[in-house]
Amino acid sequence: MRMVFDLDVEKCVACGACAVSCMDQNDIWPDRGDAPYRRVGVVEPLPKAGDGRLTYLSLGCMHCADAPCIKACPVGCLFKDEQNLTLYDNTRCIGCHSCAMACPFGAPTYGPDGKMRKCDGCAERLKNGLIPACVRNCPTGALSCVPEETYGTAAFDRSLRAIVEHAER
Amino acid sequence: MEEKELERRLAHKIPGADTGIEVKHSFCSICSPSCHCGIDAYVKDGKLLKVEGTQGHPMNDGLLCTKGAANRAYIYRPDRLRTPLKRAGARGEGRFEPISWEEAYDLIAENLLRLRAESGADSVAFFGGYQKWFRWQLARFAYDFGSVNYGTESSACMTANKMAWTTLTGMNAKMDMKNAKLYVAWGGGNHHSHHLAAKKAENFHRNGGKVIVVDPRNTPLAARTADLHIAVRPGTDGLLANAVAGIILRNGWQDQAYIDKYVHGFDDYAAYVTSLDLQEVSRITTVPVEKIEEMARLMGTVKPMSIEASPISLIHQTNGYQTVRAMFSLSVITGNYDTVGGNQPNIETFAHLGAGYATREEEFIEANTPAGFENRVGAKRFPLWADMVHEMQSLDLARQIHEGTPYPIRGLFALGFNYRIFPDSEYFRAALEKLDFFVTADLFMTDTVKYADVVLPTCSSLEREELKVYPGGFAKYYLPAIAPLYESRSDARILQELAERLDLDDALLRSGYRKCLEYVFEPTGYDLDALIASPLPLKAPCMRPYKPHAYIDGGCKTPTGKLELFSERVKTVGAAAGLDPLPRWYAPSYQPTEEYPFQLLAGVRIPNAIHSHLHKVPWTRSLRPEPMADMNPADARALGIAAGDTIRLVSAFGAITVKANPTALMNQGQICMYHGYSEADVNTLLDRNNVDPYSGFAGYKNGICAVEKL
């Protein structure tokens, strides 16, 4: 089954429960120099928008359908698995950061050994019928990881609802 | 190949017979007891590997917040106490030598008994802090010892809310949001402090319920759910509530039949609230007149209405008790109290939670209360507190240690104690130096622990057995998911063993946790073994469906038996202290000056911390590594301050150095600074004598400060 990661920015509050759950799952210790696979942030209101609205985001690897990091890697560490997740084997990683430069989301990180690491979509959990750690604990339901077919329907539903809500205002 | 497969499953913590990873049911107790979420603990070889929220749990149904998700890093914090300790250096120095439990108990017994013989039992104070669960046993332990001085950190949290509801109705109250049409989130229900409440609010809003959010900040709750957001000036909420009442009465939106039947003191109250001048109220609260009128229209005409008050932010103003009493009065005049979808009487079930059914906890706690209870710490200074709360008002503890009046406090026995929770925390730190004997139990080597003569290592919720009750009529008896780490012991075991060592005359307490539970839960009809065996919380057999007006029809537990807008209790016990029987608003003591132009709100919640518990947990700390002051971007610009600049917050009482976080979350003129940082303790900026005379609560949200760019 091909899976899609999604963030509903209308629900996210950048509380960081996803980031911490990811650290718990993947044994990431920022105090020992590990870079997190998932981060949260608050974007202050954009002056041009003039609505004083804060935006809350959670960012990790989006497991893009046409992932630029895969093409960027000169030694072929990155690949797609059968679930459409962008996985890697960093045995041959030369630490050139080409993947990081190609990634629009800043997903690839580098460990103390200089080798690339990043979110693997909790591929092994998915194979065992468990959902990814970040999604599992997300207290607002902002993060999701769903089969591609469901995602298409959900996105369409959301568009319909947005139109209705807009009309009501 | 198979070996590699197993390796991969182990690395990804997949539960199963092959990996030996078991999923055990436990719970999180990092936060307040009202938010203790069910946890699925992934355990292998007695070690915790990972946590998730328990699906189907009536509390959190699978979800965990930022704090709860950090349980593994919390439990294995490197500064966990491993053995009992005896102080080897000077107080505060942090030099200790490990001792055995037997030696620790000997030292404690020897010193507590010595102090009792020399200065009387009251000279030893007993304090219960986090993780709060042991309080019912600690209180009884203190009273068995003979001391009237048992107190908790609820001297600064929640209790003033309960006092206000009890003044008005004779009992504490809760919301019935599920059946409401209007939800008023007054300073509470925020995503960053109580994600479960915020989620309920979002669902309520999505299902067409009307929402009023009263909060000076531009929170996600306000932005996403509010039909009306009132960004009231901190400290003026009570005036706003009374003005709203005045408009409701002038328009005849009150439920007059309900008032005639159930309410005492309506005329005095009506005369006061209708006398308020709206223009003046608007000027003081900074809320436009039209918004106040819209708020009154919604609250007066949309029924049923549930009001939620923050258990901290409002009552951390020095007019907090009057403020929340004024708010709750709105529930009464509109006939929303004791109704479906309104606010309902809330029975105190167990361990600071109302679960909808009664136990024998109060009887258990109060059975052995010693004579002279009216002499407990803070009772004379805060007569209304003394009349309503069966504890000392701990706010007065440091003063009594320093001044020795009306009698000396020489010993302190604490389970989970942090002197930094008190305003002007330096004053309490200095008081610890004056104690003859100080023993504390804790999980970690904290700043406070460094002052103790004897230190006992306790364990977390994942390492102990505990029975927890939940709103909606539930309970679950958890067994430890892992054994207590190192040589730590649960607080309940410590109390049992010490009761034995001190030879306290209390067979029940000495019989241990389980037996005490059997006594307390006897009226509930629960089979405790079934509560252990069930993976999820079970409904109480004694639980009865709610009947509207049953409580007020039967006569309220107030002096007049009615809902008292004019409080006869306050009139009787508070007259000498100048307390007002009406919920009359008065301005909190501190207002910004030229020298200190900002309102300082200490301890407004951030998502990755709860008090000081998580400041040293690397996962949560990484989300906000530096102590930061939130301020409005325009205020920051005016002072030439950019995001991340080093700044100093200065008051007449102290100064701290932090980073600036300009954010549109904040209103102009206000600074929010989180508490509990050793290197930047905002409570050192507060006046210890700036307190609410009704509740004794400190003005944590009523500071003033200047901001300097460094």
Side-chain angles (χ1 to χ4, degrees):
Chain A
M1 206 174 338
R2 289 164 63 86
M3 304 300 286
V4 178
F5 273 84
D6 187 33
L7 175 76
D8 185 345
V9 289
E10 297 295 318
K11 287 185 179 166
C12 182
V13 293
C15 69
C18 52
V20 172
S21 300
C22 177
M23 293 177 199
D24 193 18
Q25 174 66 41
N26 294 301
D27 300 318
I28 293 167
W29 296 94
D31 53 323
R32 296 174 203 163
D34 296 342
Y37 296 166
R38 182 165 284 282
R39 294 166 193 264
V40 295
V42 183
V43 183
E44 291 295 322
L46 304 169
K48 274 188 190 161
D51 58 358
R53 200 182 156 91
L54 291 145
T55 310
Y56 301 88
L57 293 170
S58 163
L59 267 189
C61 177
M62 299 296 279
H63 298 277
C64 312
D66 186 16
C69 58
I70 297 178
K71 288 182 196 138
C73 180
V75 288
C77 289
L78 289 135
F79 59 92
K80 281 281 177 191
D81 79 344
E82 68 280 8
Q83 300 178 106
N84 195 38
L85 299 170
T86 308
L87 302 189
Y88 63 95
D89 174 353
N90 67 8
T91 320
R92 285 183 294 160
C93 175
I94 53 171
C96 70
H97 289 222
S98 297
C99 54
M101 282 187 278
C103 174
F105 305 107
T109 71
Y110 298 86
D113 60 357
K115 294 193 174 204
M116 193 279 289
R117 298 170 194 184
K118 68 166 200 69
C119 160
D120 66 358
C122 283
E124 192 64 29
R125 275 175 63 87
L126 281 167
K127 274 186 216 156
N128 283 278
L130 303 165
I131 56 179
C134 55
V135 177
R136 178 69 169 71
N137 284 339
C138 174
T140 63
L143 269 176
S144 58
C145 175
V146 292
E148 213 167 42
E149 313 82 84
T150 322
Y151 174 74
T153 325
F156 184 60
D157 282 351
R158 215 184 295 161
S159 304
L160 288 178
R161 210 167 48 236
I163 290 165
V164 173
E165 276 170 15
H166 186 75
E168 274 178 358
R169 275 190 210 111
Chain B
M1 191 64 202
E2 236 167 58
E3 210 168 287
K4 257 213 154 142
E5 168 74 11
L6 178 63
E7 218 171 88
R8 200 167 62 228
R9 284 167 59 77
L10 269 170
H12 292 89
K13 307 177 182 178
I14 308 298
D18 58 338
T19 56
I21 298 171
E22 256 186 287
V23 177
K24 297 188 171 187
H25 290 295
S26 188
F27 68 103
C28 171
S29 74
I30 292 175
C31 211
S32 147
S34 57
C35 327
H36 282 183
C37 295
I39 275 185
D40 284 355
Y42 286 47
V43 176
K44 181 177 163 68
D45 302 331
K47 215 166 148 48
L48 181 68
L49 295 184
K50 169 184 164 59
V51 298
E52 285 173 358
T54 302
Q55 284 173 332
H57 195 289
M59 192 74 187
N60 57 315
D61 193 15
L63 309 176
L64 274 187
C65 76
T66 326
K67 296 158 277 201
N71 257 288
R72 181 162 65 102
Y74 172 76
I75 286 166
Y76 294 114
R77 236 172 84 170
D79 64 340
R80 264 294 289 265
L81 298 169
R82 289 161 188 253
T83 67
L85 300 170
K86 182 182 155 187
R87 186 160 58 81
R91 285 224 164 109
E93 201 184 321
R95 277 204 297 131
F96 290 94
E97 59 182 62
I99 53 174
S100 70
W101 278 96
E102 289 309 304
E103 286 172 284
Y105 286 157
D106 283 345
L107 277 171
I108 293 166
E110 178 193 316
N111 282 287
L112 293 188
L113 295 174
R114 176 179 58 82
L115 291 177
R116 187 168 70 179
E118 288 172 4
S119 308
D122 293 348
S123 71
V124 181
F126 294 78
F127 185 90
Y130 271 78
Q131 301 177 7
K132 305 192 187 188
W133 72 292
F134 44 72
R135 285 179 178 184
W136 57 296
Q137 288 190 297
L138 176 61
R140 185 159 164 134
F141 181 88
Y143 301 148
D144 286 342
F145 180 77
S147 175
V148 295
N149 290 318
Y150 158 76
T152 67
E153 50 69 64
S154 288
S155 293
C157 180
M158 189 52 162
T159 314
N161 267 359
K162 290 184 189 172
M163 285 173 68
W165 271 121
T166 307
T167 305
L168 194 58
T169 72
M171 284 182 78
N172 192 16
K174 62 178 178 188
M175 289 196 298
D176 179 25
M177 189 171 160
K178 207 168 59 196
N179 297 303
K181 290 216 165 69
L182 173 64
Y183 163 56
V184 185
W186 211 310
N190 199 293
H191 291 82
H192 290 165
S193 54
H194 195 344
H195 70 98
L196 299 170
K199 181 138 186 134
K200 279 184 193 146
E202 285 195 349
N203 290 337
F204 178 80
H205 171 67
R206 204 167 296 130
N207 291 325
K210 292 264 181 223
V211 179
I212 301 176
V213 175
V214 186
D215 198 314
R217 298 187 307 155
N218 179 24
T219 61
L221 188 76
R224 292 173 190 181
T225 70
D227 294 284
L228 183 64
H229 175 205
I230 306 275
V232 66
R233 177 182 164 77
T236 67
D237 301 72
L239 182 61
L240 173 71
N242 286 329
V244 164
I247 299 170
I248 288 174
L249 297 186
R250 276 199 293 272
N251 284 286
W253 291 328
Q254 75 272 25
D255 186 337
Q256 196 61 48
Y258 179 97
I259 291 168
D260 292 344
K261 192 170 176 193
Y262 298 115
V263 171
H264 170 74
F266 176 70
D267 292 345
D268 289 326
Y269 171 80
Y272 162 57
V273 295
T274 53
S275 74
L276 295 168
D277 175 58
L278 262 192
Q279 297 298 332
E280 182 67 1
V281 170
S282 171
R283 188 186 62 76
I284 296 172
T285 58
T286 70
V287 181
V289 169
E290 317 79 70
K291 280 208 162 185
I292 304 176
E293 285 173 335
E294 175 61 3
M295 184 170 174
R297 192 188 61 77
L298 285 169
M299 294 184 80
T301 60
V302 183
K303 279 189 173 188
M305 163 181 75
S306 263
I307 303 178
E308 177 175 47
S310 155
I312 49 157
S313 56
L314 300 158
I315 50 185
H316 284 179
Q317 292 287 346
T318 51
N319 58 11
Y321 162 87
Q322 289 290 75
T323 293
V324 289
R325 186 150 68 112
M327 288 164 43
F328 300 152
S329 297
L330 291 166
S331 173
V332 168
I333 61 167
T334 52
N336 278 299
Y337 176 72
D338 202 6
T339 59
V340 172
N343 288 91
Q344 299 172 352
N346 193 17
I347 305 168
E348 295 279 303
T349 303
F350 181 61
H352 293 259
L353 268 183
Y357 54 92
T359 63
R360 286 159 78 184
E361 186 189 42
E362 193 177 278
E363 210 180 310
F364 179 89
I365 290 173
E366 297 181 8
N368 303 338
T369 306
F373 198 56
E374 65 280 7
N375 298 322
R376 64 196 186 280
V377 168
K380 295 281 183 297
R381 189 171 165 196
F382 304 110
L384 188 64
W385 167 282
D387 189 61
M388 303 186 79
V389 187
H390 199 85
E391 288 180 12
M392 64 174 169
Q393 179 28 296
S394 317
L395 180 106
D396 206 35
L397 183 57
R399 186 207 58 76
Q400 191 159 336
I401 295 171
H402 275 290
E403 297 179 6
T405 56
Y407 54 87
I409 298 288
R410 298 179 60 201
L412 179 59
F413 177 97
L415 299 177
F417 177 62
N418 182 357
Y419 71 79
R420 292 194 189 281
I421 72 171
F422 291 98
D424 188 2
S425 43
E426 185 57 23
Y427 183 69
F428 211 120
R429 190 201 57 74
L432 291 178
E433 285 184 340
K434 291 193 172 174
L435 287 170
D436 189 302
F437 184 68
F438 172 31
V439 52
T440 190
D442 211 300
L443 276 87
F444 309 109
M445 179 52 77
T446 66
D447 295 339
T448 304
V449 165
K450 289 178 185 163
Y451 285 81
D453 297 291
V454 177
V455 182
L456 305 175
T458 53
C459 59
S460 71
S461 53
L462 285 108
E463 301 155 62
R464 66 176 181 243
E465 63 174 290
E466 181 179 339
L467 193 158
K468 270 209 73 77
V469 303
Y470 296 97
F474 291 96
K476 158 81 184 143
Y477 193 157
Y478 298 93
L479 293 184
I482 55 172
L485 292 184
Y486 321 112
E487 285 183 36
S488 69
R489 292 180 184 178
S490 93
D491 307 273
R493 180 172 170 196
I494 291 171
L495 289 175
Q496 182 192 2
E497 289 171 345
L498 267 176
E500 200 69 38
R501 187 62 60 106
L502 289 162
D503 195 24
L504 300 183
D505 181 17
D506 187 341
L508 181 55
L509 190 67
R510 283 163 72 163
S511 69
Y513 183 70
R514 166 81 190 228
K515 288 271 185 266
C516 290
L517 282 179
E518 282 169 8
Y519 172 87
V520 168
F521 281 82
E522 194 269 329
T524 64
Y526 270 128
D527 168 3
L528 296 193
D529 289 321
L531 285 182
I532 290 174
S534 170
L536 290 173
L538 296 176
K539 255 263 157 79
C542 65
M543 190 71 184
R544 295 287 167 266
Y546 170 70
K547 280 202 200 102
H549 289 201
Y551 172 64
I552 49 178
D553 277 335
C556 302
K557 295 180 209 164
T558 55
T560 59
K562 296 201 164 193
L563 301 169
E564 295 192 356
L565 290 174
F566 179 99
S567 169
E568 294 298 332
R569 181 200 285 265
V570 176
K571 191 179 159 193
T572 309
V573 302
L579 306 185
D580 198 321
L582 286 173
R584 201 184 303 271
W585 181 80
Y586 56 92
S589 326
Y590 280 101
Q591 300 297 331
T593 62
E594 209 168 297
E595 194 179 1
Y596 304 114
F598 289 98
Q599 284 190 295
L600 172 66
L601 292 91
V604 172
R605 299 297 189 245
I606 53 177
N608 59 315
I610 177 73
H611 306 309
S612 60
H613 311 172
L614 296 171
H615 288 338
K616 288 187 178 160
V617 170
W619 293 348
T620 41
R621 187 66 187 251
S622 74
L623 300 174
R624 187 171 166 127
E626 307 261 12
M628 287 203 296
D630 292 344
M631 64 192 300
N632 181 273
D635 285 341
R637 266 199 305 278
L639 292 165
I641 292 169
D645 281 356
T646 303
I647 56 171
R648 236 159 62 99
L649 305 183
V650 186
S651 82
F653 303 92
I656 56 172
T657 302
V658 300
K659 297 286 186 211
N661 183 36
T663 168
L665 186 68
M666 296 293 297
N667 239 339
Q668 271 184 270
Q670 293 149 21
I671 304 284
C672 282
M673 179 64 218
Y674 201 69
H675 59 294
Y677 292 107
S678 299
E679 67 275 40
D681 178 358
V682 65
N683 285 357
T684 58
L685 270 56
L686 302 175
D687 175 356
R688 68 174 177 272
N689 291 314
N690 185 31
V691 296
D692 183 333
Y694 292 79
S695 64
F697 273 45
Y700 298 98
K701 309 291 186 286
N702 181 223
I704 51 173
C705 73
V707 179
E708 296 169 358
K709 185 182 172 181
L710 292 184

